Amino acid sequence: MATVLLVRHGRTTANASGLLAGRADGVSLDGIGRDQAVVTGDRIAAVPVVGVVSSPLERCRQTAQFLLDRQGGTPHAPVDPDLTECDYGQWQGRMLTDLAKEALWPVVQSQPSAVVFPGGESMAAMQARSVAAIRRHDAAFEAEFGPGAVWVAVSHGDIIKSVLADALGMHLDLFQRITVGPASVSIVNYGIGRPTVHATNTDAGDLSWLAASVPSGDAPVGGGAGHTTPPTA
């Protein structure tokens, strides 16, 4: 199958102030977030991606544009509502410090599979729709461009954490063990028999090795020799 780079949007004005933005309008990247997106775009520029699929929310579309601006070709650039932020319902727009006092907060931390946000979405439904969307796009890009294709999904922290938990074979109740920082890159190849997680939450480092085909066969016993960065001319 193809290889997906899971990119969280850069830092926003809401992130900086400790506000749970959710699906609210008008939440954009701040100065640091734009700088983060530039760095991530420069990292991914070494890889000719076939598509950049984005959540419809402004902060993700802004981040996606930074990535597209640094691509030499013209990747597909659809927007997919199934990659949008979790619907936090009545929690949206509130400060995290206040939400930490709610009775639901410890459940979000320890048993997210049981969480339904008041007036909003369950975390299980959030994971189901986002994983289905990633796998759907991955299969489509592989069918059109071949198994060596690399594409990008630009989404949100909890969305990406839930996708990584699925790829790692982890129960949703364990997904809070995963960290996904602003503008970070995580790498998943779904392979033939099972997903392989090549990286999580990276904000630096060379990605040019992805320009070569990513192995999707059996895992090497002992760990193997690792990837080789293509030589420069």
PDB file of all heavy atoms in Angstrom, residues 56-83:
ATOM      1  N   PRO A  56     -11.207  20.145   6.897  1.00  0.00           N
ATOM      2  CA  PRO A  56     -11.745  21.406   6.374  1.00  0.00           C
ATOM      3  C   PRO A  56     -11.490  22.619   7.266  1.00  0.00           C
ATOM      4  O   PRO A  56     -11.711  23.750   6.820  1.00  0.00           O
ATOM      5  CB  PRO A  56     -13.245  21.129   6.259  1.00  0.00           C
ATOM      6  CG  PRO A  56     -13.522  20.051   7.240  1.00  0.00           C
ATOM      7  CD  PRO A  56     -12.284  19.205   7.280  1.00  0.00           C
ATOM      8  N   LEU A  57     -11.023  22.436   8.489  1.00  0.00           N
ATOM      9  CA  LEU A  57     -10.843  23.576   9.382  1.00  0.00           C
ATOM     10  C   LEU A  57      -9.652  24.422   8.951  1.00  0.00           C
ATOM     11  O   LEU A  57      -8.655  23.923   8.430  1.00  0.00           O
ATOM     12  CB  LEU A  57     -10.686  23.101  10.821  1.00  0.00           C
ATOM     13  CG  LEU A  57     -11.934  22.412  11.398  1.00  0.00           C
ATOM     14  CD1 LEU A  57     -11.707  22.006  12.836  1.00  0.00           C
ATOM     15  CD2 LEU A  57     -13.176  23.302  11.293  1.00  0.00           C
ATOM     16  N   GLU A  58      -9.775  25.724   9.194  1.00  0.00           N
ATOM     17  CA  GLU A  58      -8.829  26.705   8.657  1.00  0.00           C
ATOM     18  C   GLU A  58      -7.384  26.391   9.012  1.00  0.00           C
ATOM     19  O   GLU A  58      -6.480  26.504   8.176  1.00  0.00           O
ATOM     20  CB  GLU A  58      -9.198  28.105   9.165  1.00  0.00           C
ATOM     21  CG  GLU A  58      -8.279  29.211   8.664  1.00  0.00           C
ATOM     22  CD  GLU A  58      -8.690  30.584   9.178  1.00  0.00           C
ATOM     23  OE1 GLU A  58      -9.725  30.685   9.871  1.00  0.00           O
ATOM     24  OE2 GLU A  58      -7.968  31.557   8.881  1.00  0.00           O
ATOM     25  N   ARG A  59      -7.126  26.002  10.250  1.00  0.00           N
ATOM     26  CA  ARG A  59      -5.744  25.765  10.673  1.00  0.00           C
ATOM     27  C   ARG A  59      -5.084  24.625   9.906  1.00  0.00           C
ATOM     28  O   ARG A  59      -3.874  24.649   9.657  1.00  0.00           O
ATOM     29  CB  ARG A  59      -5.696  25.510  12.181  1.00  0.00           C
ATOM     30  CG  ARG A  59      -6.617  24.399  12.695  1.00  0.00           C
ATOM     31  CD  ARG A  59      -6.739  24.529  14.202  1.00  0.00           C
ATOM     32  NE  ARG A  59      -7.504  23.484  14.879  1.00  0.00           N
ATOM     33  CZ  ARG A  59      -8.810  23.552  15.096  1.00  0.00           C
ATOM     34  NH1 ARG A  59      -9.527  24.589  14.654  1.00  0.00           N
ATOM     35  NH2 ARG A  59      -9.426  22.585  15.766  1.00  0.00           N
ATOM     36  N   CYS A  60      -5.890  23.641   9.525  1.00  0.00           N
ATOM     37  CA  CYS A  60      -5.354  22.533   8.732  1.00  0.00           C
ATOM     38  C   CYS A  60      -5.168  22.941   7.278  1.00  0.00           C
ATOM     39  O   CYS A  60      -4.156  22.587   6.648  1.00  0.00           O
ATOM     40  CB  CYS A  60      -6.280  21.317   8.819  1.00  0.00           C
ATOM     41  SG  CYS A  60      -6.209  20.490  10.424  1.00  0.00           S
ATOM     42  N   ARG A  61      -6.120  23.683   6.740  1.00  0.00           N
ATOM     43  CA  ARG A  61      -5.980  24.131   5.352  1.00  0.00           C
ATOM     44  C   ARG A  61      -4.788  25.071   5.201  1.00  0.00           C
ATOM     45  O   ARG A  61      -4.076  25.030   4.192  1.00  0.00           O
ATOM     46  CB  ARG A  61      -7.276  24.792   4.873  1.00  0.00           C
ATOM     47  CG  ARG A  61      -8.415  23.797   4.693  1.00  0.00           C
ATOM     48  CD  ARG A  61      -9.647  24.403   4.054  1.00  0.00           C
ATOM     49  NE  ARG A  61     -10.353  25.293   4.961  1.00  0.00           N
ATOM     50  CZ  ARG A  61     -10.363  26.605   4.908  1.00  0.00           C
ATOM     51  NH1 ARG A  61      -9.684  27.236   3.945  1.00  0.00           N
ATOM     52  NH2 ARG A  61     -11.043  27.321   5.777  1.00  0.00           N
ATOM     53  N   GLN A  62      -4.545  25.908   6.204  1.00  0.00           N
ATOM     54  CA  GLN A  62      -3.360  26.772   6.165  1.00  0.00           C
ATOM     55  C   GLN A  62      -2.077  25.933   6.172  1.00  0.00           C
ATOM     56  O   GLN A  62      -1.153  26.186   5.391  1.00  0.00           O
ATOM     57  CB  GLN A  62      -3.356  27.705   7.381  1.00  0.00           C
ATOM     58  CG  GLN A  62      -4.365  28.830   7.326  1.00  0.00           C
ATOM     59  CD  GLN A  62      -4.315  29.669   8.593  1.00  0.00           C
ATOM     60  OE1 GLN A  62      -4.333  29.142   9.712  1.00  0.00           O
ATOM     61  NE2 GLN A  62      -4.234  30.976   8.441  1.00  0.00           N
ATOM     62  N   THR A  63      -2.019  24.953   7.054  1.00  0.00           N
ATOM     63  CA  THR A  63      -0.844  24.088   7.135  1.00  0.00           C
ATOM     64  C   THR A  63      -0.648  23.333   5.831  1.00  0.00           C
ATOM     65  O   THR A  63       0.478  23.229   5.313  1.00  0.00           O
ATOM     66  CB  THR A  63      -0.985  23.106   8.312  1.00  0.00           C
ATOM     67  OG1 THR A  63      -1.161  23.849   9.535  1.00  0.00           O
ATOM     68  CG2 THR A  63       0.231  22.206   8.436  1.00  0.00           C
ATOM     69  N   ALA A  64      -1.737  22.796   5.288  1.00  0.00           N
ATOM     70  CA  ALA A  64      -1.648  22.060   4.027  1.00  0.00           C
ATOM     71  C   ALA A  64      -1.096  22.939   2.911  1.00  0.00           C
ATOM     72  O   ALA A  64      -0.310  22.474   2.072  1.00  0.00           O
ATOM     73  CB  ALA A  64      -3.021  21.513   3.647  1.00  0.00           C
ATOM     74  N   GLN A  65      -1.475  24.213   2.892  1.00  0.00           N
ATOM     75  CA  GLN A  65      -0.988  25.105   1.831  1.00  0.00           C
ATOM     76  C   GLN A  65       0.511  25.316   1.935  1.00  0.00           C
ATOM     77  O   GLN A  65       1.213  25.383   0.911  1.00  0.00           O
ATOM     78  CB  GLN A  65      -1.723  26.434   1.882  1.00  0.00           C
ATOM     79  CG  GLN A  65      -1.466  27.316   0.661  1.00  0.00           C
ATOM     80  CD  GLN A  65      -1.885  26.637  -0.633  1.00  0.00           C
ATOM     81  OE1 GLN A  65      -3.024  26.184  -0.780  1.00  0.00           O
ATOM     82  NE2 GLN A  65      -0.955  26.524  -1.582  1.00  0.00           N
ATOM     83  N   PHE A  66       1.041  25.412   3.155  1.00  0.00           N
ATOM     84  CA  PHE A  66       2.494  25.520   3.317  1.00  0.00           C
ATOM     85  C   PHE A  66       3.189  24.293   2.726  1.00  0.00           C
ATOM     86  O   PHE A  66       4.263  24.412   2.117  1.00  0.00           O
ATOM     87  CB  PHE A  66       2.862  25.671   4.793  1.00  0.00           C
ATOM     88  CG  PHE A  66       2.734  27.072   5.322  1.00  0.00           C
ATOM     89  CD1 PHE A  66       1.683  27.418   6.155  1.00  0.00           C
ATOM     90  CD2 PHE A  66       3.668  28.047   5.003  1.00  0.00           C
ATOM     91  CE1 PHE A  66       1.560  28.711   6.657  1.00  0.00           C
ATOM     92  CE2 PHE A  66       3.555  29.347   5.491  1.00  0.00           C
ATOM     93  CZ  PHE A  66       2.493  29.674   6.323  1.00  0.00           C
ATOM     94  N   LEU A  67       2.606  23.123   2.909  1.00  0.00           N
ATOM     95  CA  LEU A  67       3.198  21.906   2.353  1.00  0.00           C
ATOM     96  C   LEU A  67       3.109  21.908   0.826  1.00  0.00           C
ATOM     97  O   LEU A  67       4.083  21.573   0.129  1.00  0.00           O
ATOM     98  CB  LEU A  67       2.497  20.666   2.907  1.00  0.00           C
ATOM     99  CG  LEU A  67       2.319  20.542   4.425  1.00  0.00           C
ATOM    100  CD1 LEU A  67       1.793  19.154   4.785  1.00  0.00           C
ATOM    101  CD2 LEU A  67       3.614  20.824   5.162  1.00  0.00           C
ATOM    102  N   LEU A  68       1.957  22.290   0.306  1.00  0.00           N
ATOM    103  CA  LEU A  68       1.760  22.307  -1.145  1.00  0.00           C
ATOM    104  C   LEU A  68       2.678  23.318  -1.820  1.00  0.00           C
ATOM    105  O   LEU A  68       3.177  23.070  -2.925  1.00  0.00           O
ATOM    106  CB  LEU A  68       0.294  22.627  -1.463  1.00  0.00           C
ATOM    107  CG  LEU A  68      -0.711  21.522  -1.133  1.00  0.00           C
ATOM    108  CD1 LEU A  68      -2.127  22.078  -1.111  1.00  0.00           C
ATOM    109  CD2 LEU A  68      -0.601  20.377  -2.135  1.00  0.00           C
ATOM    110  N   ASP A  69       2.909  24.450  -1.168  1.00  0.00           N
ATOM    111  CA  ASP A  69       3.757  25.490  -1.750  1.00  0.00           C
ATOM    112  C   ASP A  69       5.184  25.011  -1.952  1.00  0.00           C
ATOM    113  O   ASP A  69       5.918  25.581  -2.774  1.00  0.00           O
ATOM    114  CB  ASP A  69       3.765  26.736  -0.854  1.00  0.00           C
ATOM    115  CG  ASP A  69       2.459  27.500  -0.902  1.00  0.00           C
ATOM    116  OD1 ASP A  69       1.655  27.253  -1.806  1.00  0.00           O
ATOM    117  OD2 ASP A  69       2.244  28.344   0.003  1.00  0.00           O
ATOM    118  N   ARG A  70       5.583  23.984  -1.227  1.00  0.00           N
ATOM    119  CA  ARG A  70       6.961  23.498  -1.304  1.00  0.00           C
ATOM    120  C   ARG A  70       7.089  22.210  -2.102  1.00  0.00           C
ATOM    121  O   ARG A  70       8.163  21.593  -2.129  1.00  0.00           O
ATOM    122  CB  ARG A  70       7.517  23.326   0.122  1.00  0.00           C
ATOM    123  CG  ARG A  70       7.894  24.662   0.723  1.00  0.00           C
ATOM    124  CD  ARG A  70       7.834  24.671   2.231  1.00  0.00           C
ATOM    125  NE  ARG A  70       8.180  26.010   2.722  1.00  0.00           N
ATOM    126  CZ  ARG A  70       7.342  27.042   2.725  1.00  0.00           C
ATOM    127  NH1 ARG A  70       6.112  26.912   2.274  1.00  0.00           N
ATOM    128  NH2 ARG A  70       7.738  28.220   3.180  1.00  0.00           N
ATOM    129  N   GLN A  71       6.010  21.818  -2.755  1.00  0.00           N
ATOM    130  CA  GLN A  71       6.057  20.651  -3.623  1.00  0.00           C
ATOM    131  C   GLN A  71       6.321  21.081  -5.067  1.00  0.00           C
ATOM    132  O   GLN A  71       5.764  22.078  -5.533  1.00  0.00           O
ATOM    133  CB  GLN A  71       4.746  19.873  -3.552  1.00  0.00           C
ATOM    134  CG  GLN A  71       4.596  19.053  -2.279  1.00  0.00           C
ATOM    135  CD  GLN A  71       5.560  17.872  -2.218  1.00  0.00           C
ATOM    136  OE1 GLN A  71       5.702  17.116  -3.181  1.00  0.00           O
ATOM    137  NE2 GLN A  71       6.231  17.717  -1.088  1.00  0.00           N
ATOM    138  N   GLY A  72       7.171  20.333  -5.755  1.00  0.00           N
ATOM    139  CA  GLY A  72       7.497  20.693  -7.130  1.00  0.00           C
ATOM    140  C   GLY A  72       6.364  20.424  -8.103  1.00  0.00           C
ATOM    141  O   GLY A  72       6.201  21.134  -9.086  1.00  0.00           O
ATOM    142  N   GLY A  73       5.563  19.405  -7.836  1.00  0.00           N
ATOM    143  CA  GLY A  73       4.459  19.077  -8.737  1.00  0.00           C
ATOM    144  C   GLY A  73       3.154  19.694  -8.280  1.00  0.00           C
ATOM    145  O   GLY A  73       3.127  20.720  -7.584  1.00  0.00           O
ATOM    146  N   THR A  74       2.076  19.065  -8.692  1.00  0.00           N
ATOM    147  CA  THR A  74       0.739  19.542  -8.310  1.00  0.00           C
ATOM    148  C   THR A  74      -0.037  18.380  -7.701  1.00  0.00           C
ATOM    149  O   THR A  74      -0.869  17.760  -8.365  1.00  0.00           O
ATOM    150  CB  THR A  74      -0.018  20.104  -9.530  1.00  0.00           C
ATOM    151  OG1 THR A  74      -0.034  19.111 -10.569  1.00  0.00           O
ATOM    152  CG2 THR A  74       0.651  21.361 -10.043  1.00  0.00           C
ATOM    153  N   PRO A  75       0.242  18.074  -6.432  1.00  0.00           N
ATOM    154  CA  PRO A  75      -0.454  16.963  -5.787  1.00  0.00           C
ATOM    155  C   PRO A  75      -1.956  17.212  -5.693  1.00  0.00           C
ATOM    156  O   PRO A  75      -2.411  18.358  -5.659  1.00  0.00           O
ATOM    157  CB  PRO A  75       0.165  16.923  -4.382  1.00  0.00           C
ATOM    158  CG  PRO A  75       1.407  17.752  -4.459  1.00  0.00           C
ATOM    159  CD  PRO A  75       1.173  18.759  -5.534  1.00  0.00           C
ATOM    160  N   HIS A  76      -2.718  16.132  -5.660  1.00  0.00           N
ATOM    161  CA  HIS A  76      -4.142  16.251  -5.358  1.00  0.00           C
ATOM    162  C   HIS A  76      -4.278  16.913  -3.986  1.00  0.00           C
ATOM    163  O   HIS A  76      -3.503  16.632  -3.070  1.00  0.00           O
ATOM    164  CB  HIS A  76      -4.797  14.873  -5.328  1.00  0.00           C
ATOM    165  CG  HIS A  76      -4.828  14.179  -6.650  1.00  0.00           C
ATOM    166  ND1 HIS A  76      -5.921  14.195  -7.480  1.00  0.00           N
ATOM    167  CD2 HIS A  76      -3.888  13.459  -7.295  1.00  0.00           C
ATOM    168  CE1 HIS A  76      -5.657  13.512  -8.584  1.00  0.00           C
ATOM    169  NE2 HIS A  76      -4.424  13.048  -8.487  1.00  0.00           N
ATOM    170  N   ALA A  77      -5.269  17.774  -3.830  1.00  0.00           N
ATOM    171  CA  ALA A  77      -5.411  18.504  -2.567  1.00  0.00           C
ATOM    172  C   ALA A  77      -6.871  18.568  -2.125  1.00  0.00           C
ATOM    173  O   ALA A  77      -7.436  19.651  -1.939  1.00  0.00           O
ATOM    174  CB  ALA A  77      -4.829  19.910  -2.711  1.00  0.00           C
ATOM    175  N   PRO A  78      -7.492  17.415  -1.891  1.00  0.00           N
ATOM    176  CA  PRO A  78      -8.892  17.425  -1.450  1.00  0.00           C
ATOM    177  C   PRO A  78      -9.033  17.770   0.021  1.00  0.00           C
ATOM    178  O   PRO A  78      -8.082  17.670   0.807  1.00  0.00           O
ATOM    179  CB  PRO A  78      -9.344  15.985  -1.713  1.00  0.00           C
ATOM    180  CG  PRO A  78      -8.094  15.172  -1.557  1.00  0.00           C
ATOM    181  CD  PRO A  78      -6.978  16.050  -2.083  1.00  0.00           C
ATOM    182  N   VAL A  79     -10.215  18.193   0.391  1.00  0.00           N
ATOM    183  CA  VAL A  79     -10.587  18.427   1.783  1.00  0.00           C
ATOM    184  C   VAL A  79     -11.577  17.337   2.169  1.00  0.00           C
ATOM    185  O   VAL A  79     -12.504  17.041   1.426  1.00  0.00           O
ATOM    186  CB  VAL A  79     -11.217  19.819   1.956  1.00  0.00           C
ATOM    187  CG1 VAL A  79     -11.844  19.969   3.331  1.00  0.00           C
ATOM    188  CG2 VAL A  79     -10.169  20.902   1.720  1.00  0.00           C
ATOM    189  N   ASP A  80     -11.352  16.711   3.331  1.00  0.00           N
ATOM    190  CA  ASP A  80     -12.209  15.597   3.743  1.00  0.00           C
ATOM    191  C   ASP A  80     -12.792  15.882   5.122  1.00  0.00           C
ATOM    192  O   ASP A  80     -12.058  15.944   6.111  1.00  0.00           O
ATOM    193  CB  ASP A  80     -11.407  14.290   3.773  1.00  0.00           C
ATOM    194  CG  ASP A  80     -12.291  13.066   3.993  1.00  0.00           C
ATOM    195  OD1 ASP A  80     -13.432  13.226   4.481  1.00  0.00           O
ATOM    196  OD2 ASP A  80     -11.842  11.945   3.682  1.00  0.00           O
ATOM    197  N   PRO A  81     -14.105  16.041   5.232  1.00  0.00           N
ATOM    198  CA  PRO A  81     -14.723  16.319   6.537  1.00  0.00           C
ATOM    199  C   PRO A  81     -14.530  15.195   7.548  1.00  0.00           C
ATOM    200  O   PRO A  81     -14.644  15.430   8.761  1.00  0.00           O
ATOM    201  CB  PRO A  81     -16.203  16.521   6.196  1.00  0.00           C
ATOM    202  CG  PRO A  81     -16.392  15.906   4.849  1.00  0.00           C
ATOM    203  CD  PRO A  81     -15.091  16.051   4.133  1.00  0.00           C
ATOM    204  N   ASP A  82     -14.227  13.977   7.083  1.00  0.00           N
ATOM    205  CA  ASP A  82     -13.993  12.878   8.019  1.00  0.00           C
ATOM    206  C   ASP A  82     -12.663  13.016   8.757  1.00  0.00           C
ATOM    207  O   ASP A  82     -12.396  12.272   9.706  1.00  0.00           O
ATOM    208  CB  ASP A  82     -14.048  11.532   7.293  1.00  0.00           C
ATOM    209  CG  ASP A  82     -15.461  11.112   6.964  1.00  0.00           C
ATOM    210  OD1 ASP A  82     -16.396  11.577   7.643  1.00  0.00           O
ATOM    211  OD2 ASP A  82     -15.654  10.311   6.023  1.00  0.00           O
ATOM    212  N   LEU A  83     -11.821  13.959   8.326  1.00  0.00           N
ATOM    213  CA  LEU A  83     -10.568  14.229   9.034  1.00  0.00           C
ATOM    214  C   LEU A  83     -10.670  15.454   9.928  1.00  0.00           C
ATOM    215  O   LEU A  83      -9.677  15.908  10.491  1.00  0.00           O
ATOM    216  CB  LEU A  83      -9.421  14.424   8.030  1.00  0.00           C
ATOM    217  CG  LEU A  83      -9.038  13.211   7.195  1.00  0.00           C
ATOM    218  CD1 LEU A  83      -7.864  13.541   6.283  1.00  0.00           C
ATOM    219  CD2 LEU A  83      -8.698  12.012   8.074  1.00  0.00           C
TER     220      LEU A  83
END
